[in-house]
Each structure stands twice: as C-alpha cells, then as structure tokens.
Amino acid sequence: MHVTNQMGLSQFLLLGLSEDPKVQSILFVLFLSMYLVTVLGNLLIIMATTCGSHLHTPMYFFLCHLSFVDIAFISTSVPMMLVNILAQVKDISYTECLTQVYFFIIFARMNNFLLTLMAYDHFVAICHPLKYTLIMNPQFCGLLVLISWLIILCASLTHILLMMQLNFSTSTEIPHFFCELAQVLKVANSETLINNIFLYVTLVLMVVFPVCGILFSYFEIVSSLMRMSSTANSYKAFSTCLSHLCVVSLFYGTGFGVYFSSEVTHSSQGKLVASVMYTVVTPVLNPFIYCLRNKDVMGALERLLGRTACCLSWTPDFRTKRLLQPLRQML
C-alpha cells in the first residue's frame, strides 16, 4: 500500500452508517429532521433570550451561547453526511477532513466549558445569593466566555498542526460518518505518540477538570440546600438546577459512551450508535430539556411572536396562541 504525506493525499473515504440504499434513505430523512429541529429550537432560544430584556441575566447569557454552540456542533457533521448520502459519495478531501476535525473539537470542548460556567452560576446564585450580582456581573461573564474560546481555539489549532505531520495511505478509509480526531489518528501510517499524548492531556484539562468543577458546584449546592430550614425553599432552589443537570447528564453520558465504546468494545456499530447519540441526539434534545418548559422563555417567545404578528397586521394574541399551542401539547 502506497504511503504519502499530507501534501500528496487527495482524500479520505468515510464509510458512513450504512451502505444499504433503503437504510440510507431512512437515515437521510431522520437526520435532516433532527438537524432542522435542532437549528430551529436553538434559534428560537437565541431570539427569545436576546429580545427579552428580563432574560438578560448570566444564566440566559450562557444559555444563548450554548444554543449557538449546539447549532455549530451539529453543523460540523450532519450537513456533509446528508450531502454524501444524496450524492452517493464517500470521499472527503484532506483539507475538508482537517477542517471538520478542527471545528468539531472547538464546539465539543466549548460545550464542556459552558456547562461548567452554568454550574458555577447556579453555585453562586444558591450558595452566595447576596453576592450574586456583584460576582456574576456582565463584564465577568463575558470575560469567562472569551477566555474559554481562546483556550479552546489554541488547543484545537495545536491538534491540527500535529495532525499535519502525519502520513496516510492513498486509500485511507475512516469507519465513521464524519472525521473525528481519534478515528483519524487510528488510520495514520506514522507514529502518533505525540498526538495521543496531547489528546489525553487536553481531555484531562478540558473534560475532566470541567466535570470536577460541575461536581464540586453541585456538592456545594446540595450542602447549602440541606442547611436550609424550609423544605419548600430548598426544593424551589434545586428545581432551578434540574434542567441543567439533565443536559449535563445527557452530554457527558453520551460522551463517555463514545469513549468507552471505542476503548473497550470492538463493535464498529456500537461506536457509531454512541457517536450519533453524542453528536446529533444531544443537540436535538437540549432545547426541549432546557428551555421549552421554562415559563420565562415561553413568555418571551409569545411576546416575540406577538410582535411579529403585529408587524404583519395579524391579531397578535390569537396568532401567538395558535402558533404555540402545538408546542405546548407536544411538551
């Protein structure tokens, strides 16, 4: 098998989820539907939190960024897969593959950081309520998000620069539906020791540390709630954290599922299912879990749709209720 460096390599071959045309048709409809739901749901959240002045708080500031990251996260893999299914092609150029790896790392890691920042926000709100507005001021929140982006961009760029030093065969096949860092490293024909070391170091710094931060925040929250004399107040305070806990459990549960399926099992189908849960299902469910049961967000959406209807010379209240009624029934 001929080996070439990165400059001489023209393309990779993505094996995808299935080669059966009937299954591919079902997958196309399913993934297109989930992609559109993800984009629409998260865009509604962004619009509601941006237009609703009463939602200009640290929690919704982080939530707005999380919605943007979810849209970008699913957009790194699903659109190209849909195009490949339609065109009945499997190839992806070397440059496109590295670009996909780069942005996938960025948005996956940013998800970690944002969920940690949201846990910290809950921690300050419940454990230090009198200092909340002083600590979680807009400048500090913006600085936290900016630092997170800078750290992740630098780490992701380092991954790509290290990958550019690797050699691959001219007929490289990747048993996945998108270019994922660990899968690309496995098919390299040159030594990947440095790449793997840096990968594990960044996993510790950008995954393990944020998880520890989330666990510490909730340990302090639970300890603080147990010291409250009123059970009703304790339950009300903890209920504000339930949506975040669900999102954290879903994101890290599927993420660890991907890791253990690749490290422990040898079933390629199991790895693909875990990856689909992590990259597609999680962003789809996040808007439903986190916001669509939130009265503040639903109220902001009603006012937003009401203003839109008013601009179009409709009856605002009637149209708004008609538009939101199927959503309420679904929830």
Side-chain angles (χ1 to χ4, degrees):
M1 183 179 294
H2 179 64
V3 178
T4 181
N5 60 24
Q6 67 277 6
M7 297 305 294
L9 186 67
S10 59
Q11 63 185 20
F12 293 103
L13 294 177
L14 296 173
L15 299 184
L17 296 173
S18 174
E19 295 185 359
D20 188 340
K22 293 182 179 179
V23 175
Q24 286 186 342
S25 300
I26 296 173
L27 290 174
F28 178 83
V29 175
L30 180 63
F31 277 77
L32 178 61
S33 302
M34 289 192 292
Y35 180 72
L36 293 176
V37 169
T38 302
V39 173
L40 178 60
N42 284 288
L43 279 178
L44 286 175
I45 293 172
I46 293 172
M47 293 171 62
T49 55
T50 303
C51 298
S53 58
H54 66 294
L55 298 182
H56 293 173
T57 63
M59 181 180 74
Y60 292 108
F61 172 75
F62 295 134
L63 183 59
C64 184
H65 280 80
L66 182 66
S67 296
F68 166 74
V69 168
D70 277 340
I71 293 174
F73 183 54
I74 195 173
S75 297
T76 59
S77 57
V78 172
M80 180 167 287
M81 184 192 70
L82 295 175
V83 170
N84 288 346
I85 291 177
L86 275 181
Q88 291 295 304
V89 296
K90 297 181 178 181
D91 58 287
I92 179 173
S93 70
Y94 175 81
T95 303
E96 290 173 339
C97 186
L98 260 63
T99 302
Q100 194 172 54
V101 171
Y102 178 68
F103 285 107
F104 183 82
I105 295 173
I106 288 175
F107 298 119
R109 299 293 181 263
M110 194 61 196
N111 238 317
N112 292 318
F113 278 47
L114 286 172
L115 290 176
T116 306
L117 294 178
M118 295 169 83
Y120 177 70
D121 176 67
H122 286 300
F123 161 71
V124 177
I126 294 176
C127 299
H128 304 282
L130 299 179
K131 298 181 180 179
Y132 179 76
T133 55
L134 179 64
I135 297 174
M136 302 301 293
N137 60 77
Q139 293 77 16
F140 182 65
C141 294
L143 181 62
L144 289 175
V145 172
L146 177 61
I147 292 174
S148 299
W149 279 112
L150 292 176
I151 293 173
I152 292 168
L153 289 171
C154 292
S156 302
L157 181 60
T158 305
H159 274 300
I160 300 303
L161 293 176
L162 290 173
M163 286 183 63
M164 292 177 66
Q165 309 307 313
L166 301 178
N167 296 323
F168 300 87
S169 67
T170 53
S171 56
T172 303
E173 293 184 348
I174 300 176
H176 217 301
F177 64 95
F178 70 98
C179 287
E180 196 264 333
L181 177 60
Q183 295 294 330
V184 176
L185 292 180
K186 287 180 179 179
V187 299
N189 286 331
S190 52
E191 182 57 56
T192 60
L193 177 61
I194 297 177
N195 300 74
N196 287 321
I197 291 175
F198 187 72
L199 173 60
Y200 287 117
V201 169
T202 54
L203 282 176
V204 170
L205 295 176
M206 299 186 181
V207 178
V208 177
F209 279 8
V211 170
C212 291
I214 292 172
L215 293 176
F216 173 78
S217 296
Y218 277 104
F219 174 80
E220 291 295 321
I221 288 172
V222 172
S223 299
S224 178
L225 294 178
M226 291 179 66
R227 292 193 295 267
M228 287 186 178
S229 57
S230 173
T231 305
N233 290 337
S234 299
Y235 176 77
K236 184 178 180 181
F238 188 72
S239 64
T240 61
C241 306
L242 290 178
S243 296
H244 180 257
L245 277 174
C246 290
V247 172
V248 167
S249 301
L250 181 64
F251 181 77
Y252 286 109
T254 54
F256 287 128
V258 172
Y259 175 78
F260 286 116
S261 65
S262 61
E263 295 294 329
V264 178
T265 68
H266 298 285
S267 171
S268 59
Q269 201 65 30
K271 297 174 186 177
L272 289 175
V273 171
S275 294
V276 169
M277 290 293 295
Y278 179 66
T279 59
V280 181
V281 176
T282 300
V284 171
L285 295 179
N286 279 356
F288 294 96
I289 294 173
Y290 212 100
C291 282
L292 295 181
R293 289 186 181 272
N294 186 304
K295 294 181 180 179
D296 292 333
V297 175
M298 289 301 296
L301 284 175
E302 288 181 359
R303 285 188 289 273
L304 179 64
L305 292 174
R307 287 197 297 267
T308 304
C310 184
C311 292
L312 296 175
S313 299
W314 295 340
T315 305
D317 293 337
F318 174 75
R319 293 294 183 180
T320 298
K321 292 177 181 178
R322 287 286 302 275
L323 287 169
L324 289 176
Q325 189 62 31
L327 183 60
R328 291 187 181 278
Q329 292 175 352
M330 179 176 61
L331 294 172

